[in-house]
Amino acid sequence: MKWTISQIQKHRNKDFLIDEFVRMDSIKETDPTIREVSPIHLTGRADISATRVTFHIRIDGHLILPCSRTLVDVKYPIDVETTETFMLNSHDYEAEEEVYQVTGDVIDLEPIIREILLVEIPMQVFCDDSAGQEGAPQSGKDWEVIEEQEKSEKLDPRLAGLAKFFEDSKNSSD
């Protein structure tokens, strides 16, 4: 994912399409919790002018991360769209813009892709027990894991009589 400025400038009035698979195995050295990285599929295009190059990229792939409960491998999908701008001339830089300054004669997208992948990793990943993995049990004797939505829908049995009281008073006022 490296191009020299002269290679990119040749495509200034043409479509500069990107459709490549990139190996990002070096990301495992940065974050040791990443167990495996699939080949990352980069698609998109670049808008090229005399002073800047803007990449519109979609990053697609998956990471293998440990389950936060059981440390079982979890396949975590990555599907991100991003726009990254590189300034070719340092004097055209504006402070409000989020751009990268080209150092030397090469534009390299790999460090940016690595950074985006690292930002996409969630704090906690849980395995899907319905997939047949050796995940954490979801219920046991006198307990079960419930989602927040399920919890709000269930009526506390201690308050069932109170709910009937309000239903009776509503029916009597009609």
Side-chain angles (χ1 to χ4, degrees):
M1 295 302 307
K2 291 182 183 181
W3 300 278
T4 63
I5 293 174
S6 62
Q7 285 175 323
I8 288 179
Q9 289 295 344
K10 289 178 185 176
H11 295 280
R12 187 186 304 179
N13 296 325
K14 303 173 192 169
D15 286 339
F16 188 76
L17 300 177
I18 300 168
D19 188 5
E20 295 186 28
F21 283 91
V22 180
R23 298 290 310 174
M24 297 296 293
D25 292 329
S26 63
I27 196 172
K28 293 189 287 188
E29 297 168 5
T30 307
D31 187 352
T33 62
I34 299 173
R35 295 182 177 170
E36 191 176 326
V37 181
S38 73
I40 302 299
H41 188 204
L42 300 173
T43 55
R45 64 182 171 82
D47 297 330
I48 305 165
S49 72
T51 59
R52 66 176 61 200
V53 179
T54 303
F55 292 94
H56 306 278
I57 301 172
R58 181 175 183 175
I59 303 168
D60 191 24
H62 69 269
L63 304 173
I64 303 294
L65 302 171
C67 173
S68 295
R69 288 187 193 127
T70 63
L71 300 179
V72 171
D73 287 350
V74 177
K75 184 177 181 179
Y76 185 76
I78 300 289
D79 188 8
V80 179
E81 291 187 15
T82 185
T83 301
E84 306 297 334
T85 303
F86 288 85
M87 297 300 293
L88 302 177
N89 299 329
S90 61
H91 60 275
D92 292 332
Y93 177 74
E94 295 179 21
E96 305 90 44
E97 294 182 283
E98 188 173 321
V99 297
Y100 297 95
Q101 190 65 41
V102 176
T103 54
D105 193 31
V106 177
I107 294 177
D108 187 9
L109 283 179
E110 188 173 326
I112 296 164
I113 306 278
R114 183 181 306 116
E115 179 182 328
I116 291 169
L117 290 174
L118 288 171
V119 169
E120 284 297 308
I121 298 172
M123 294 294 286
Q124 294 182 332
V125 179
F126 298 108
C127 60
D128 183 17
D129 293 319
S130 63
Q133 297 179 0
E134 299 173 7
Q138 295 297 304
S139 63
K141 184 174 185 201
D142 298 330
W143 69 274
E144 68 178 309
V145 175
I146 59 172
E147 299 294 326
E148 188 67 31
Q149 185 178 24
E150 294 173 14
K151 182 180 177 184
S152 64
E153 292 173 0
K154 288 185 179 180
L155 182 62
D156 189 344
R158 298 171 291 181
L159 301 176
L162 185 60
K164 289 179 187 176
F165 173 76
F166 285 116
E167 287 176 11
D168 291 341
S169 64
K170 191 185 289 185
N171 291 337
S172 64
S173 64
D174 290 337

